[in-house]
């Protein structure tokens, strides 16, 4: 295993940033993702988080183009089912597009499963916020936030951070509004500080430039924000470790499966991937939505979206 770490103090900040990269997996001339990046006030935590992200993103390529079958747990149906390994790996076919959405690594398997589910819900909450305007508004540390509750009991946030005249979006998840918004804020900050050597998956350009939002996205976000109501409800502070995985799945989802993914890099880390044919298993870019919307759960049915700008790259 090859891994490089770059813990560094962010200028004019009390935070550190680390970048971790492992050796890539290549299949059918396609190179899988390998990079992980994190920021935190403690340098050791940034290293740990960056390594975890690097490992889970690398693991998304292990079963790519593999049609063998594997037993997985369908949380919605509460039963073991058999599915193709290809559903739990990267897939570049438009009508079955899968990126690193829904994959997570942690030293505890239960926590890895929770985070993988949150990851999957988060990208689909972005669909509801951006295309259907199903959200409430709030504020966090001076930034505007849109909250989606369709995956209750979990809450998912889209936050807009404006610094030096540039726009950065962050998505976050949690069992409380505070936790969700804090997570979104940290991601927006991460994208703000990411240096020019951190590369986004499948893009040969710096993630810093790639992740900055556009003026069009900014104006569209404001239009949504100005036309939805404030979030006022309070949610019980439920610890993730104590949360039953089955209870995380909303009743309107009929099938959602999770599987442990092989990890031959760091044995202490458990990698879990969540998948549902009813949901988007990638960022819901307009091209993917237009071509696959009819295949998803009826909750996702939407009319013409040609006048809506594409989602921010998060």
């Amino acid at each position: 295993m090859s891994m490089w770490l770059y813990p560094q103090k962010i200028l004019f900040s009390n935070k550190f940033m680390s970048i971790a990269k492992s050796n890539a997996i290549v299949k059918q001339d396609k190179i899988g993702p390998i990079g992980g990046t994190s920021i935190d006030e403690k340098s050791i935590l940034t290293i740990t988080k960056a390594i975890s992200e690097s490992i889970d993103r690398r693991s998304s390529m292990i079963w790519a183009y593999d049609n063998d079958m594997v037993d997985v747990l369908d949380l919605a149906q509460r039963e073991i089912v058999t599915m193709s390994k290809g559903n739990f790996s990267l897939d570049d076919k438009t009508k079955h597009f899968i990126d690193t959405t829904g994959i997570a690594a942690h030293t505890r398997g239960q926590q890895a499963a929770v985070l993988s589910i949150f990851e999957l819900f988060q990208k689909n909450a972005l669909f509801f916020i951006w295309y259907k305007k199903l959200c409430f508004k709030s504020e966090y540390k001076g930034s505007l936030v849109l909250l989606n509750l369709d995956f209750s009991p979990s809450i998912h946030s889209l936050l807009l951070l404006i610094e030096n005249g540039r726009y950065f979006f962050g998505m976050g998840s949690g069992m409380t509004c505070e936790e969700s918004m804090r997570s979104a804020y940290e991601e927006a900050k991460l994208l703000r500080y990411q240096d020019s050597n951190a590369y986004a998956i499948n893009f040969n350009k710096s993630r810093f430039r790639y992740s900055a939002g556009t003026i069009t996205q900014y104006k569209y976000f404001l239009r949504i924000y100005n036309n939805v109501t404030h979030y006022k409800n309070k949610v019980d502070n439920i610890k993730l470790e104590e949360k039953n995985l089955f209870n995380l799945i909303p009743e309107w989802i009929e099938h959602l499966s999770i599987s442990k993914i092989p990890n031959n890099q760091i044995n202490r880390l458990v990698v879990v991937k969540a998948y549902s044919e009813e949901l988007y298993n990638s960022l819901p870019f307009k091209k993917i939505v237009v071509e696959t919307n009819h295949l998803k759960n009826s909750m996702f049915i939407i009319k013409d979206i040609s006048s809506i700008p594409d989602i921010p790259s998060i």
Side-chain angles (χ1 to χ4, degrees):
M1 177 187 71
S2 299
M3 183 167 288
W4 299 268
L5 301 173
Y6 305 98
Q8 54 185 297
K9 185 74 177 291
I10 298 173
L11 191 62
F12 307 121
S13 169
N14 65 340
K15 296 183 181 295
F16 291 85
M17 180 172 67
S18 289
I19 300 172
K21 295 182 180 181
S22 58
N23 56 311
I25 297 175
V26 181
K27 290 191 176 183
Q28 296 189 9
D29 296 324
K30 302 292 179 62
I31 302 176
I34 58 172
T37 312
S38 176
I39 61 172
D40 200 280
E41 293 182 0
K42 296 182 179 180
S43 60
I44 187 63
L45 288 181
T46 69
I47 294 174
T48 302
K49 292 177 181 178
I51 291 175
S52 294
E53 183 180 39
S54 176
I55 294 300
D56 73 47
R57 297 183 79 229
R58 179 185 184 276
S59 297
S60 66
M61 193 68 172
I62 289 178
W63 283 347
Y65 310 108
D66 190 337
N67 293 320
D68 289 344
M69 306 302 285
V70 63
D71 288 340
V72 301
L73 175 61
D74 187 332
L75 291 171
Q77 296 296 319
R78 303 193 176 205
E79 63 180 5
I80 301 295
V81 298
T82 302
M83 298 184 70
S84 168
K85 289 181 178 179
N87 290 331
F88 298 87
S89 65
L90 297 182
D91 194 330
D92 56 5
K93 294 190 294 292
T94 302
K95 291 190 176 181
H96 192 250
F97 192 79
I98 302 175
D99 59 17
T100 56
T101 292
I103 195 164
H106 200 278
T107 53
R108 298 193 303 275
Q110 172 86 357
Q111 186 74 345
V114 169
L115 294 175
S116 71
I117 295 167
F118 277 12
E119 247 279 315
L120 181 60
F121 287 170
Q122 188 182 107
K123 300 306 185 291
N124 286 270
L126 176 58
F127 173 95
F128 286 140
I129 292 171
W130 199 257
Y131 297 117
K132 302 194 75 171
K133 304 177 180 65
L134 296 176
C135 54
F136 297 89
K137 63 184 175 183
S138 189
E139 298 83 29
Y140 186 81
K141 293 189 175 182
S143 293
L144 304 182
V145 185
L146 296 174
L147 300 160
N148 177 264
L149 309 180
D150 286 287
F151 296 91
S152 178
S154 58
I155 300 175
H156 306 274
S157 304
L158 175 64
L159 179 142
L160 170 63
L161 174 70
I162 304 176
E163 288 196 1
N164 300 323
R166 304 181 71 185
Y167 313 108
F168 297 90
F169 294 91
M171 283 291 295
S173 304
M175 298 303 293
T176 67
C177 180
E178 169 73 18
E179 182 182 19
S180 176
M181 292 193 297
R182 182 174 66 249
S183 175
Y185 181 80
E186 290 173 352
E187 180 176 70
K189 277 288 188 180
L190 172 64
L191 299 184
R192 164 67 181 87
Y193 290 121
Q194 197 139 18
D195 67 34
S196 60
N197 291 321
Y199 291 90
I201 178 174
N202 295 329
F203 288 84
N204 188 24
K205 60 180 71 174
S206 79
R207 186 168 177 177
F208 178 81
R209 291 191 296 271
Y210 167 68
S211 296
T214 66
I215 184 67
T216 302
Q217 291 169 334
Y218 161 71
K219 290 181 177 179
Y220 180 70
F221 179 97
L222 286 185
R223 286 204 300 273
I224 298 176
Y225 188 90
N226 291 330
N227 286 281
V228 296
T229 59
H230 272 281
Y231 178 76
K232 297 180 180 180
N233 294 339
K234 293 184 178 181
V235 178
D236 291 335
N237 186 14
I238 305 172
K239 293 183 179 180
L240 294 181
E241 296 82 5
E242 299 173 357
K243 193 64 187 176
N244 188 315
L245 292 179
F246 297 115
N247 294 336
L248 288 176
I249 313 303
E251 292 185 359
W252 59 268
I253 297 178
E254 295 183 2
H255 296 282
L256 190 154
S257 300
I258 59 173
S259 175
K260 182 178 178 181
I261 306 299
N263 163 30
N264 58 5
Q265 298 285 289
I266 299 179
N267 293 332
R268 287 190 60 200
L269 285 177
V270 179
V271 181
V272 177
K273 176 79 168 72
Y275 169 84
S276 174
E277 61 182 6
E278 301 171 39
L279 307 178
Y280 288 97
N281 295 280
S282 68
L283 278 165
F285 291 108
K286 281 180 67 174
K287 178 181 178 181
I288 295 173
V289 170
V290 168
E291 298 197 26
T292 64
N293 193 244
H294 65 287
L295 302 174
K296 305 304 177 184
N297 187 289
S298 59
M299 284 277 290
F300 292 88
I301 298 301
I302 191 169
K303 297 180 180 179
D304 180 34
I305 60 172
S306 59
S307 63
I308 298 177
D310 213 341
I311 60 169
S313 299
I314 297 174

